[in-house]
Amino acid sequence: GQRPATEAVVALSVESVIAGGQPIQVGYDARFVREGGRWLYAGVAWNELASTHFLLKYDGNNHDAAWAQRTLDLAEEVYAQVTADLGVTSLLPQEIKVYDDGELFRTSASLSLPDWTTGWTESGASIKIQLLDDSERTLQRAIAHELTHQVLFAQGLSSPLAGGIDGGLAWLHEGVANFEAGRVIPLGAHWAAGQYSPLVQAAVRHQDEFPLYSMPPWEDVPDDQVGLFYAQSWSVVSFIVEQHGLPGLRRFIAQSIVSQAGTETRPIDDTAANLHAALGVDPESFLAEWQEYARVAGVPDDLVSLARRFPPERALAHVAILSSPEFSGREAGAPGADLTAAYIAEQFASLGLLPLGGPLTGTAWLGSSSSGVITNLQFPGGPLTRTETGGLDYLQQFPISYTHLISVPTLTLLDADGTGLHEFTYRQDFLESAGEGITEGELVWVHAEDLEGMHFGGAVVLERDVGDPVARAVQLQDHGAGGLIVATDKESRNFQVGHVRPITGSEITIPVFEITGTAFEMLLERLGMEYRDLSFAPPAFPLGVQMQQTLVRSPVTATPTANVLGLLPGSDPDLADEVLIVGAHYDHVGQSPDGLYFPGANQNASGVGVLLETVRVWQSAGYRPARSVLFAAWGAEELDSAGVAHYLAHPAVPLTQTVGVIALDSVGNGRGYRLLFYGTREDLPLVHRVEAGTAELNRRAQRRISTGEGWQTLFSSTGIPTVKFIWDEAERDFYMPTDTADHIDPDRLAFSGEILTLISSWLARQ
Ligand SMILES: [Zn+2]
């Protein structure tokens, strides 16, 4: 009594061959329906979900309904953008088919498509998207590209595929589609520029570009020129919009449609005439101006001039102040860091930045949510002041575990009766490396890795080359050692260095010192021994003398320190909720009880000085960014980037609205000859702007692949593009007392300031 099935899903395997090509095999689930006693093929078995303007078809084996809903949400965002930009009020609902399998995609679209193609559509047909990865950015750009083609078809701009007269408008189709794809994601124009600008720039410089007034139809574009065709089309459309705005682009498209309809017998390309009719431009000068725009990769002239106003002497003045003894090395948790934070906050206030440090709950002026995160960054009516608290609150406070040396460590050699034989000199002969405590015990030479069966009964262990001294100290203290002295090959100058403190109380309860090679030789001399005597000694060999070590720290306490956060609100209501972060850490490694202090001029008072003067250049020139820019002076970077980690857990603006991060670290000098910038392909929009910008400033910078070090990588790991500037080989002088303001090179500081001013204003502008 069962009714016969009327529908079936069958796993199909299909082989396709283009004449002369290799066969392509695809497997997929196909739907069959039973009609009139026969099974009929009904296409791919899709799952479906609809929204206002789209019907999404996708493979339910690979994606769930939540994914489909999210994809439709992205598509609706794209729809709003593209139709508004192109002035379209109604468009028939669009079908989007998403392919996970590239071969099935090409079988359904065109077998000749390259495998990196993300989308395909034809007039009135569905939008076909190939998913190359999980990136929402890529998906959204692909939908925008194909939807733009459909909007242009609907407006009457004919198919870029058709040969003959209409084919000549392929460049306009692709140019607008690529331009719109760049408009739908944050910093999208900069992403697109990173992808396309270098190609066009190289072509124009070698006069290899397609002739602008006779762009070829698609079928005449050689395979190896497809990338340039896309790139040049994007560049010309971007240039039109930069010069004439979106209304200009709409007029040019409308004019192209009119001329296309009226010129059935003319060989197409009326681009020159259309530009003149729609925009009133002289085609010759338009061509020359576009070529110049492409040649400089779009770097805006006015921003180059703005960047050249950067005052290195003012930045250097900040460096001199912050590296002076009054700031005592700016150690997080110590008064010098608090003084520095107050100095920066005062600067931010004088620059008119909005204080974003304090708790935001209950403030009305930003429409903040109860969670303390700003949900809406639109600032009607210009700069706002915080009235609820009455004061300016730039400091975002957070606790750190703080401890410091309270006396100069000592190391004393005693004879068996406890009479002093020799006093070693701190930093000259030895330096603390871990742990704490006061100990006095028999000195025992140990040269066995395996401590099985040994117990030191409070003796002080002397060893060479222990690898990781922390791990070794833990092992030795478990075997009863009262202290550890590691004999190194280092020289005294290696001990003129500021220590980066452990973040939490260490598990080491004994004092651990390193001694120089010279101090070790002196010790052996005192003992009347030579090194080879020790080599032949038993694994644990008492040396017949006593050693006393003192290493006294304050108790570890939870101590407040702070990030200093100031916002320059964006002027464009559509872009103000996109935030660029420009950041530099202000803390350093403080001072030592022996009176030595670490000025940290290059590391990183230089970054702070450059950051402050960049804001001042903007203010004095009346430059107001379209996007919002958060200037962040981070605290406690030397403690494993504690300040940035705190910020990421308590962001002043949502991370989803944070579009890029520029990091400055030691930008005033280095032993090398170049300013370096770190970034990967994931950082393309920033990296490309740096490359284009340095060329226009007639400077040289070199890109390095990110090593995963530095506070900015914490932002990278949330998917936010970053770029970090540091002078080549600056690290050779890190944490040295010689890192003083008079070692900063004003010209190098100027370069850092100019490139920061240029790229931050560029990224914040469009
Ligand atoms: Zn296209």
Side-chain angles (χ1 to χ4, degrees), residues 111 128 141 155 192 286 299 363 409 414 417 422 427 512-513 541 547 626 656 683 735 752:
L111 287 174
K128 296 176 176 175
R141 285 180 68 181
Q155 289 182 316
F286 179 90
V299 181
T363 59
L414 311 163
D417 304 325
H422 183 77
R427 290 195 190 279
V512 182
F513 290 170
F541 178 55
M547 194 66 104
T656 50
D683 309 311
Y735 314 126
S752 303

Side-chain angles (χ1 to χ4, degrees), residues 319-342:
V319 175
I321 291 167
L322 296 178
S323 60
S324 69
E326 190 190 349
F327 289 81
S328 56
R330 309 188 305 278
E331 183 184 22
D338 298 344
L339 207 56
T340 309

Side-chain angles (χ1 to χ4, degrees), residues 145 149 174 230:
H145 182 110
H149 281 312
E174 298 304 345
Y230 265 122

Side-chain angles (χ1 to χ4, degrees), residues 117 119-121 142 145-146 148-149 160 170 173-175 177-178 218 230:
T117 312
W120 174 261
T121 198
H145 182 110
E146 305 309 329
T148 302
H149 281 312
H173 251 276
E174 298 304 345
N178 287 335
W218 252 132
Y230 265 122

Side-chain angles (χ1 to χ4, degrees), residues 227-448:
L228 176 61
F229 185 76
Y230 265 122
Q232 185 174 337
S233 303
W234 164 85
S235 171
V236 174
V237 169
S238 299
F239 182 63
I240 290 173
V241 175
E242 226 165 86
Q243 300 284 306
H244 303 277
L246 283 167
L249 177 63
R250 290 196 287 268
R251 286 200 303 280
F252 177 63
I253 293 170
Q255 182 62 37
S256 302
I257 292 166
V258 169
S259 83
Q260 176 184 258
T263 57
E264 275 157 42
T265 56
R266 254 195 285 162
I268 202 79
D269 193 283
D270 280 348
T271 295
N274 293 339
L275 281 170
H276 182 71
L279 307 173
V281 297
D282 166 45
E284 292 268 312
S285 28
F286 179 90
L287 175 60
E289 283 164 23
W290 167 73
Q291 282 170 331
E292 178 58 15
Y293 168 83
R295 199 189 60 73
V296 301
V299 181
D301 271 354
D302 60 327
L303 297 186
V304 173
S305 311
L306 185 71
R308 292 223 161 96
R309 296 174 62 156
F310 182 86
E313 68 290 344
R314 291 196 62 129
L316 191 52
H318 294 299
V319 175
I321 291 167
L322 296 178
S323 60
S324 69
E326 190 190 349
F327 289 81
S328 56
R330 309 188 305 278
E331 183 184 22
D338 298 344
L339 207 56
T340 309
Y343 176 89
I344 297 167
E346 198 176 295
Q347 294 290 321
F348 280 4
S350 79
L351 292 165
L353 300 183
L354 266 178
L356 280 200
L360 298 166
T361 319
T363 59
W365 48 268
L366 294 175
S368 68
S369 73
S370 58
S371 67
V373 169
I374 299 166
T375 52
N376 179 353
L377 271 176
Q378 304 198 358
F379 301 96
L384 297 154
T385 50
R386 175 169 215 152
T387 52
E388 285 78 2
T389 60
L392 297 175
D393 205 354
Y394 292 99
L395 304 189
Q396 182 188 45
Q397 294 203 332
F398 57 94
I400 52 165
S401 300
Y402 179 68
T403 168
H404 63 277
L405 289 179
I406 55 178
S407 59
V408 180
T410 65
L411 180 65
T412 312
L413 181 68
L414 311 163
D415 69 14
D417 304 325
T419 309
L421 293 175
H422 183 77
E423 184 105 10
F424 292 91
T425 307
Y426 185 56
R427 290 195 190 279
Q428 173 70 37
D429 300 322
F430 75 100
L431 190 69
E432 82 281 6
S433 65
E436 62 180 313
I438 300 176
T439 192
E440 188 179 320
E442 186 172 25
L443 189 61
V444 178
W445 170 253
V446 172
H447 63 132

